[in-house]
Amino acid sequence: MPRFIKNGPLVPDELVQQLEDDRVVLFCGAGISAGGGLPNFRDLVSFCYSELGASAPATNDSMWSWPDRMLGALEGDFPGQMRAKIVERLDRTATDLTMHEAILKLARLRGPTDGYRLVTTNFDLFFEQAKAGMSLGVDYHSGPVLPIPRNDQIASWRSIVYLHGRLNPGLENQHLVLTSADFGRAYLTDAWAARFVVRLFAEFTVLFIGYSLNDPVLRYMTDAFAAEDAITRRGQKRSPAYIFVPYPGTVQPDPKPWQQRQLEPIFYRQAYRHRALTKTLVGWAMARTDYLASASTIIRRYGSRLPSALEPSQSSDLVWAVCSRPDDKGHGARIFSQLADPPPIEWLNEFERRDTDVMEAYRKEAERAVKDGREPPLAPQSHMQALFPAATESLKETPLSETSFELAQWLCRHLENERLVTWVLNKLELRRRAHPRLRILIRSRLDRQPTIAAGFAVFWRVVAGEGHWTTNLDSDLPWAGLGRSLPSQIGTKWFDLELVAAARPYLKLRPSYRVSSGTPIDSEDIRTIVDADVILADDDIFYLIDEIDALPAADQIWAEKLNWLTGLLESILELYALVAKADAGNDPTVFSRPSIIPHEQNRRKDGWPRIYDLIWRGWRLVDASSAIESRQWVERWRRVPYLGFRRLVLAAITSSSHFTAQEKLEALLHG
């Protein structure tokens, strides 16, 4: 939660963000004008009684809970005079416009359309004194003639709304909503104010400033929503509503009375004439107006520290400064990524949590908009998710936001961090892939000095690779039903190409047991950082192979495909070699294929090691018909520098009649 001044109220993150998205309406009551020299509603009633010489009820009389009724009684006794006294008391030049100026800055639209989204139930002209040159119908509207409070992309409503009327010195001011009869017309009979606020709450997040819990305005609005619900026979969908609430002493009050009115209170100490609220609004306005400077201050103050070492509000402030300002062109993230001491990788979780919260709030709001027949809001930017889109999406260059790009630069300063490795592995498990721009940045870092440890370098080469060997880019069961083309299509070009695609090998990475258990790793050895296996593109490829095996001439088919099968096995072992799991003395088939010649001791009946069986069967058919071709295959296998092929050579030579006893002995002794 941002705290814009020390010891000031905590302003919720979501409220700050929604203000940045032009989704907040500031709703101002009499309390904001008290600092400028005007009374609150109760004191205004007391003034009228005194000036008109009427006998006011005792201070503790329950009538004071209904000041609008008291003014109605006065108007009955003193027709015309009561409103004249109201005008007399409110027609003043403000003694202090600090709060009004701050509220105008907060209410100003940030989008391409200039203007404000601000509602006041005050009659005074202090906002117009704070900003001269405003005109009716453009910069402000006055009840009962009001704009439609619609939240749309073109900002059709962009003015100050005097909901209960605006002071017109020298006139009768009959339009001002003062008495219970006025409130009745505004909220019940004519209901123009009720329609406005019901639509307002449905479209926007509302922040009340300068109201008390028992203010007549809050009561009448609650009644308006209740009446609307009764008419429609369904609960009215409402956006969040917040209210600044002062309290005396040191103990915050129970929030339930406000929450029962569907209001979320933001408490602050009311000492020194509400100084904390004024300073908070001023600080918030300054931060919003001079975002670049305030963001820089926040980031430089907190960016190099662990989030766990900060107060929650400080951590939220940094996240807000780095990635919650849609129009800052990556300014906050750029400062963050370029700090002399690289910000800890632990900020990654904070940024991702922000993405999750923002997207969940958007999803809920979009659902409400559809149900209510409204235009859905624009989708927010998800900065971290954009760095690892779905694997199929990563094939096309979707531009990164400036913020995402700068955060990618920051991540590249942590390529030797196990937490980042684990985070990336989780993305890969979800079948996501590094964005093309992130892949370029990673490769650029790997090619620069100082170099990073060899184990990490191999991992990031895989993550940043452009080839299909780095990840599975295909949808589930992409070749489902291919077997139905058998046997008529076997051997056709298109079928061969589909078979090759279905068997395309790629690396599947998981956290190593050391990373998972917190055991120290050897940064020079990729095997202590990740556990890697080679997977074929279609896990069900061997169902297709079973169907081919069921054909009468299956061995002949594998003989014809020996070139492809040999290349496929070599590619698989090359991928294992990349992650230090295959060489001339070792490979993963030592345990899964202890016998190259098909045998019951071979435990794995599926998976890529089964390729040995297909190669063996195809070669045996060749060996039975052509000594020259059989020896050519063995010579080719000899040139592949992996143990699996050395074992294949040995098995072939010892099993074939086309090799001399001396050749067989030589193979047994020297491989």
Side-chain angles (χ1 to χ4, degrees):
M1 288 185 174
R3 191 191 293 272
F4 293 99
I5 63 162
K6 186 177 181 180
N7 299 324
L10 291 171
V11 182
D13 287 329
E14 59 270 19
L15 179 59
V16 174
Q17 183 58 52
Q18 291 201 17
L19 184 70
E20 295 309 305
D21 297 338
D22 289 337
R23 291 190 49 78
V24 174
V25 174
L26 277 67
F27 210 112
C28 302
I32 70 162
S33 294
L38 296 184
N40 59 29
F41 203 177
R42 181 186 175 110
D43 291 340
L44 186 62
V45 173
S46 180
F47 169 80
C48 289
Y49 268 88
S50 176
E51 289 293 306
L52 294 172
S55 179
T59 304
N60 59 355
D61 193 296
S62 61
M63 280 296 294
W64 284 104
S65 297
W66 301 94
D68 54 313
R69 295 179 183 177
M70 295 172 67
L71 285 180
L74 274 182
E75 186 161 44
D77 294 337
F78 302 93
Q81 297 181 58
M82 182 273 288
R83 292 182 184 267
K85 289 300 180 182
I86 293 287
V87 173
E88 177 186 331
R89 181 65 185 89
L90 299 182
D91 184 18
R92 303 290 175 88
T93 299
T95 58
D96 184 359
L97 289 171
T98 302
M99 186 173 286
H100 289 77
E101 291 169 346
I103 288 172
L104 283 175
K105 290 176 181 177
L106 292 173
R108 191 173 189 85
L109 292 170
R110 299 195 62 82
T113 307
D114 209 5
Y116 302 91
R117 279 186 178 144
L118 169 63
V119 178
T120 179
T121 52
N122 299 338
F123 314 119
D124 61 72
L125 310 181
F126 284 4
F127 283 117
E128 293 169 60
Q129 293 177 21
K131 180 174 177 55
M134 292 189 180
S135 59
L136 177 65
V138 178
D139 303 296
Y140 66 84
H141 291 81
S142 178
V145 181
L146 301 176
I148 299 174
R150 184 168 56 221
N151 177 36
D152 52 27
Q153 298 176 22
I154 61 173
S156 56
W157 169 39
R158 49 182 183 274
S159 65
I160 299 171
V161 169
Y162 290 91
L163 182 60
H164 291 169
R166 172 181 175 274
L167 206 65
N168 283 321
L171 301 179
E172 292 185 357
N173 290 280
Q174 292 296 324
H175 62 289
L176 300 183
V177 179
L178 287 166
T179 69
S180 55
D182 297 331
F183 277 101
R185 285 191 295 273
Y187 287 91
L188 296 175
T189 56
D190 295 341
W192 50 267
R195 288 192 296 271
F196 181 88
V197 296
V198 167
R199 180 68 180 265
L200 184 77
F201 271 86
E203 296 273 336
F204 296 95
T205 294
V206 176
L207 173 60
F208 288 101
I209 309 172
Y211 292 96
S212 65
L213 181 61
N214 294 319
D215 193 295
V217 173
L218 294 183
R219 284 203 300 264
Y220 280 108
M221 279 195 290
T222 302
D223 291 343
F225 280 110
E228 181 73 10
D229 288 349
I231 293 171
T232 59
R233 295 188 179 181
R234 64 179 176 86
Q236 180 68 25
K237 300 296 184 182
R238 290 177 52 178
S239 296
Y242 299 88
I243 182 170
F244 280 111
V245 177
Y247 66 94
T250 58
V251 179
Q252 288 188 6
D254 185 348
K256 288 183 180 178
W258 287 271
Q259 292 171 346
Q260 288 170 354
R261 296 273 186 90
Q262 301 186 54
L263 298 169
E264 284 298 323
I266 305 173
F267 293 112
Y268 69 92
R269 295 280 301 280
Q270 73 177 43
Y272 307 108
R273 302 184 65 175
H274 305 271
R275 183 172 65 183
L277 175 60
T278 301
K279 287 190 173 183
T280 290
L281 294 177
V282 170
W284 189 359
M286 288 178 62
R288 190 169 195 255
T289 302
D290 193 6
Y291 170 75
L292 300 184
S294 60
S296 177
T297 299
I298 291 170
I299 293 168
R300 295 183 192 284
R301 181 180 301 159
Y302 303 134
S304 295
R305 299 171 63 184
L306 288 167
S308 59
L310 300 172
E311 294 290 333
S313 61
Q314 295 170 336
S315 177
S316 295
D317 283 353
L318 184 131
V319 173
W320 175 76
V322 170
C323 57
S324 293
R325 185 81 164 203
D327 59 348
D328 81 334
K329 301 187 183 303
H331 171 80
R334 189 174 306 111
I335 295 173
F336 181 80
S337 69
Q338 295 176 359
L339 289 177
D341 294 326
I345 197 62
E346 283 77 4
W347 283 110
L348 184 61
N349 291 335
E350 302 300 315
F351 296 143
E352 193 157 50
R353 187 178 299 114
R354 176 263 177 196
D355 271 8
T356 300
D357 292 345
V358 167
M359 296 308 296
E360 178 62 16
Y362 164 74
R363 183 189 65 78
K364 291 180 179 179
E365 178 58 27
E367 288 178 357
R368 284 197 295 265
V370 170
K371 289 180 180 178
D372 296 344
R374 297 183 284 113
E375 180 182 1
L378 291 174
Q381 289 182 321
S382 183
H383 302 299
M384 300 310 301
Q385 184 170 307
L387 295 177
F388 270 84
T392 50
E393 288 296 314
S394 69
L395 291 171
K396 52 190 177 186
E397 175 103 23
T398 303
L400 284 177
S401 68
E402 292 93 336
T403 295
S404 294
F405 180 78
E406 296 298 338
L407 290 175
Q409 301 266 31
W410 163 64
L411 292 180
C412 287
R413 301 178 72 179
H414 288 285
L415 297 188
E416 292 182 288
N417 191 292
E418 296 168 45
R419 288 178 180 267
L420 180 58
V421 169
T422 300
W423 183 77
V424 169
L425 290 173
N426 289 335
K427 300 301 179 188
L428 298 179
E429 184 66 24
L430 295 172
R431 295 181 63 173
R432 294 183 172 275
R433 189 185 187 193
H435 187 279
R437 294 293 294 168
L438 177 57
R439 300 202 295 269
I440 291 172
L441 289 173
I442 292 172
R443 293 197 297 270
S444 175
R445 170 63 189 90
L446 293 174
D447 294 338
R448 294 198 313 266
Q449 296 294 330
T451 58
I452 71 172
F456 284 108
V458 171
F459 172 76
W460 290 111
R461 287 292 181 192
V462 175
V463 172
E466 295 295 336
H468 284 191
W469 56 272
T470 63
T471 188
N472 187 3
L473 302 180
D474 303 303
S475 60
D476 291 333
L477 301 177
W479 290 277
L482 191 60
R484 289 195 294 270
S485 301
L486 299 174
S488 62
Q489 299 300 327
I490 191 74
T492 63
K493 288 296 183 184
W494 76 264
F495 186 91
D496 288 348
L497 291 172
E498 288 290 88
L499 186 61
V500 168
R504 174 182 56 81
Y506 70 94
L507 276 172
K508 184 177 180 65
L509 306 178
R510 297 183 303 275
S512 72
Y513 75 92
R514 292 195 180 190
V515 171
S516 300
S517 63
T519 306
I521 66 169
D522 178 1
S523 61
E524 297 293 333
D525 188 348
I526 180 65
R527 292 171 298 181
T528 70
I529 300 171
V530 296
D531 183 18
D533 275 318
V534 176
I535 307 294
L536 302 186
D538 186 354
D539 292 338
D540 295 325
I541 179 66
F542 290 100
Y543 287 110
L544 178 60
I545 287 174
D546 287 339
E547 295 186 50
I548 296 175
D549 266 346
L551 298 176
D555 286 355
Q556 180 64 41
I557 294 172
W558 302 130
E560 293 170 358
K561 296 190 178 302
L562 265 179
N563 187 56
W564 167 62
L565 291 169
T566 297
L568 176 59
L569 181 59
E570 184 176 1
S571 296
I572 290 170
L573 293 177
E574 283 176 345
L575 290 178
Y576 275 116
L578 176 65
V579 292
K581 293 183 71 173
D583 53 33
N586 186 43
D587 72 36
T589 58
V590 170
F591 296 103
S592 62
R593 277 295 183 278
S595 172
I596 295 298
I597 300 172
H599 193 277
E600 291 181 357
Q601 66 182 316
N602 292 335
R603 286 169 289 185
R604 287 189 62 180
K605 303 302 181 183
D606 56 7
W608 69 263
R610 189 175 170 188
I611 295 171
Y612 280 105
D613 298 340
L614 306 181
I615 290 176
W616 183 259
R617 289 166 54 193
W619 173 80
R620 289 291 292 173
L621 192 67
V622 170
D623 184 66
S625 60
S626 173
I628 294 176
E629 191 176 352
S630 174
R631 293 177 66 92
Q632 287 175 339
W633 280 113
V634 172
E635 287 304 312
R636 175 176 172 181
W637 296 337
R638 268 183 166 152
R639 292 193 295 272
V640 183
Y642 299 116
L643 178 61
F645 278 92
R646 291 177 59 197
R647 296 172 62 222
L648 184 60
V649 167
L650 182 59
I653 289 177
T654 57
S655 300
S656 175
S657 61
H658 302 309
F659 294 86
T660 67
Q662 182 63 34
E663 287 175 318
K664 292 182 180 184
L665 179 61
E666 188 71 21
L668 286 171
L669 294 176
H670 305 293

